[in-house]
Amino acid sequence: MDLIILDHLSFTYKDHAYIGDDFEIIHDIVITQKSHFKINKSKLNVAVGDYVYVKEDGGYFGIVENIEDEKTHLVIASVDFKELLKVEVLVESFNGNVATYIEEIIRKTYLQNSDTKQNLNYLSISVETSKLGSFVFDADKVMTIYELLELANRMYGVYIKHEVIFNDGSFSGILIRIVNVTRGLKIKADSLILEDLIINDSSKESTNKAIYYPKTSNLFFKDTVIYYLLTDGTITKDNTSNLRYPKVISKVETYSDNDYLDLDTKVRSVLSIDKTDHQISFMIQKKNHSLDILRTLEIGDFVEFIHKGKRYDSLVTGIKYVSTFEVATITLGEYRLKLTEKIQILSKNVNSKVGNVTVNNSGYSDLDGGEF
C-alpha cells in the first residue's frame, strides 16, 4: 500500500512511500483525530501542510500535521482534509437552498478570495442537493465553515464529501461534493453479533425550556416568549402539554425586534433531545460481514440503533482502521469518553457557541429493508 505525498500549493506529486501493516486511519466528524503512518524510508520529500493520499478502501485523503524522525523510518501524522474548513468566516442569517449557501461561503473563501494566496485553484465544488432551510445567526456572527457544516448536517441532513480527481492518470484536483444524507438504517443490535459492542450515555440533562426576553431597546416587540421541548422531540409554546419533561432545565436569552419573527427557527438550535449525546462503538468485518449495509457504512449516515428495548437516534461519527482495512471500528454519536477528547469538545463548544441542534431524521430510508 502506497502513501502518496502531494504539494499543498500546486497539488502536484512530490514523493511516495510504502506502508506496511503499521498504520492507523481515523475518520471523526466530532473532534480532530490524527491518523498515523509508519513508512519504510528515513527520508521523504514532505512538509507539514502537504497532502497525503492512500488509495486503498475508497481512499484516505489528509493533511500532514507532524513528521517524526525515528532514524530508521519516519512516522507521518495527518488530519482529515475537512480540517481545511476549520477557517473562520462571517455568517449571515439565510433562508433558501442550504447547499447553495454553503457553496457560496466555500467559494468566497478558497476560490474567489481577494487574497489570492488563500485561493486553491485545484479545488472544485459540486452541489448535488436542493434542500431548503434557514439559519438564524446573531448579527456579526463569526464561526468556522466546519461548524456551519455541523449545523447543516444535523438540521437538514446536508453534508459534504470530498474526492481526489485524476486526469489521464495524474492528480488534478479535489472535488467537494455537497450532498443530502438521505441514507438511514435501523440496527437491531439484539439480533446481531456485533463485536466489542460498547454503549455509553452522557449524564448531561437536556435543556427543555427556552425563555426569550425582549431587549430594553425594542420598539415593537416586548412580549416574553417561552418554548418547551416535549419528550417526542417536538417544540411547543403550550406549557400544559402532557409530554413535557418532569424536570425543567431552562435557558434564557434575549431578542431584538429583528429577531422576533425568527424565534421559531432559532429555538431549534437551543432546544434539543441531544439525540447524539452518546457513544456506541462496535467492530465489523468489512469484507466478510453477512450484511452488506454494515460493510458500507459511511461517515454522516443516520442510524436508528436499538439495544435491549432502548432506541438511539444517531449518526455515524467515526470510523477507525488499525493495521488493516479488513476490520473497522464504527462509532455512533457525539459523546466521547477520553478526557482529552472531552476537553476538545468543551473547547469547541465554548469557542463557537453553536449550541445543540436537533437532528432532522425526515430523510430516513430503510435501505436495508427494515429491521434486521
Side-chain angles (χ1 to χ4, degrees):
M1 183 174 69
D2 282 334
L3 182 74
I4 309 297
I5 307 298
L6 301 170
D7 187 87
H8 71 286
L9 293 177
S10 62
F11 205 69
T12 54
Y13 168 86
K14 290 181 66 174
D15 208 342
H16 77 282
Y18 176 76
I19 308 169
D21 58 0
D22 196 348
F23 69 88
E24 183 178 66
I25 292 178
I26 305 177
H27 305 278
D28 196 315
I29 60 174
V30 177
I31 57 176
T32 299
Q33 298 270 28
K34 291 183 183 180
S35 297
H36 294 86
F37 305 91
K38 178 181 176 180
I39 63 174
N40 65 340
K41 289 183 176 181
S42 58
K43 292 184 179 180
L44 189 70
N45 186 15
V46 61
V48 171
D50 282 341
Y51 297 121
V52 292
Y53 175 68
V54 178
K55 189 176 182 180
E56 298 290 328
D57 198 64
Y60 168 80
F61 188 64
I63 304 171
V64 177
E65 187 169 88
N66 189 41
I67 305 165
E68 298 179 13
D69 187 350
E70 301 289 342
K71 293 184 179 180
T72 59
H73 61 273
L74 297 177
V75 176
I76 306 297
S78 65
V79 293
D80 191 272
F81 170 73
K82 292 188 182 72
E83 293 290 311
L84 185 75
L85 300 177
K86 290 186 176 180
V87 55
E88 290 185 332
V89 294
L90 185 66
V91 294
E92 297 177 349
S93 297
F94 171 83
N95 183 49
N97 186 346
V98 174
T100 301
Y101 178 66
I102 293 172
E103 178 201 19
E104 180 182 0
I105 289 179
I106 296 176
R107 192 172 295 280
K108 286 182 177 179
T109 304
Y110 284 121
L111 289 170
Q112 299 171 348
N113 201 304
S114 58
D115 182 359
T116 56
K117 287 187 177 295
Q118 191 169 334
N119 288 329
L120 303 177
N121 297 325
Y122 49 80
L123 195 68
S124 59
I125 307 172
S126 172
V127 176
E128 302 176 18
T129 180
S130 57
K131 188 78 172 183
L132 298 179
S134 61
F135 295 116
V136 178
F137 300 115
D138 293 335
D140 304 318
K141 175 67 176 178
V142 173
M143 63 193 303
T144 67
I145 298 177
Y146 196 95
E147 289 167 339
L148 178 62
L149 288 170
E150 287 182 317
L151 287 176
N153 186 24
R154 285 149 184 76
M155 293 178 72
Y156 302 109
V158 174
Y159 190 60
I160 70 164
K161 297 182 178 181
H162 58 273
E163 299 177 3
V164 176
I165 305 301
F166 297 88
N167 185 12
D168 294 330
S170 299
F171 294 93
S172 64
I174 307 167
L175 173 65
I176 293 181
R177 299 172 53 215
I178 305 176
V179 300
N180 188 28
V181 183
T182 58
R183 171 178 142 122
L185 63 149
K186 185 179 294 185
I187 299 178
K188 201 167 184 179
D190 294 336
S191 304
L192 295 173
I193 299 176
L194 297 177
E195 297 181 54
D196 296 334
L197 174 62
I198 300 174
I199 300 177
N200 290 288
D201 288 317
S202 169
S203 60
K204 184 178 68 176
E205 295 180 291
S206 300
T207 301
N208 53 65
K209 179 179 179 180
I211 307 171
Y212 288 91
Y213 292 108
K215 292 185 176 181
T216 55
S217 59
N218 283 10
L219 297 177
F220 304 103
F221 301 103
K222 300 182 181 295
D223 293 334
T224 298
V225 184
I226 304 177
Y227 295 91
Y228 305 92
L229 174 69
L230 303 183
T231 54
D232 65 355
T234 59
I235 296 174
T236 183
K237 294 180 181 177
D238 180 12
N239 66 358
T240 64
S241 173
N242 293 328
L243 296 178
R244 284 194 60 192
Y245 280 81
K247 181 179 179 179
V248 176
I249 306 295
S250 62
K251 180 179 179 61
V252 174
E253 294 191 359
T254 60
Y255 73 88
S256 66
D257 283 334
N258 292 333
D259 293 333
Y260 182 79
L261 296 179
D262 293 320
L263 288 181
D264 288 353
T265 300
K266 191 173 184 178
V267 74
R268 292 179 61 191
S269 64
V270 175
L271 295 181
S272 169
I273 305 178
D274 295 328
K275 292 183 178 180
T276 56
D277 203 13
H278 53 254
Q279 179 177 332
I280 301 171
S281 64
F282 54 89
M283 293 176 60
I284 59 171
Q285 300 290 330
K286 290 283 286 186
K287 293 186 178 180
N288 299 323
H289 201 283
S290 59
L291 293 171
D292 290 341
I293 197 72
L294 287 183
R295 295 202 306 266
T296 58
L297 280 173
E298 295 182 353
I299 290 287
D301 284 349
F302 291 126
V303 175
E304 182 182 0
F305 192 89
I306 305 170
H307 183 255
K308 295 183 178 180
K310 185 170 182 178
R311 296 174 182 264
Y312 298 85
D313 286 329
S314 192
L315 69 159
V316 180
T317 55
I319 300 178
K320 179 179 180 180
Y321 301 95
V322 179
S323 301
T324 178
F325 284 107
E326 299 291 326
V327 179
T329 299
I330 307 297
T331 299
L332 311 180
E334 297 184 313
Y335 180 59
R336 294 294 185 264
L337 294 175
K338 294 180 181 178
L339 178 60
T340 54
E341 295 176 349
K342 286 183 177 182
I343 291 174
Q344 192 175 155
I345 291 173
L346 177 62
S347 175
K348 181 179 71 171
N349 289 339
V350 169
N351 291 337
S352 66
K353 298 182 181 178
V354 170
N356 293 316
V357 181
T358 300
V359 177
N360 182 349
N361 287 331
S362 60
Y364 265 102
S365 56
D366 287 329
L367 301 183
D368 56 305
E371 295 185 357
F372 51 81

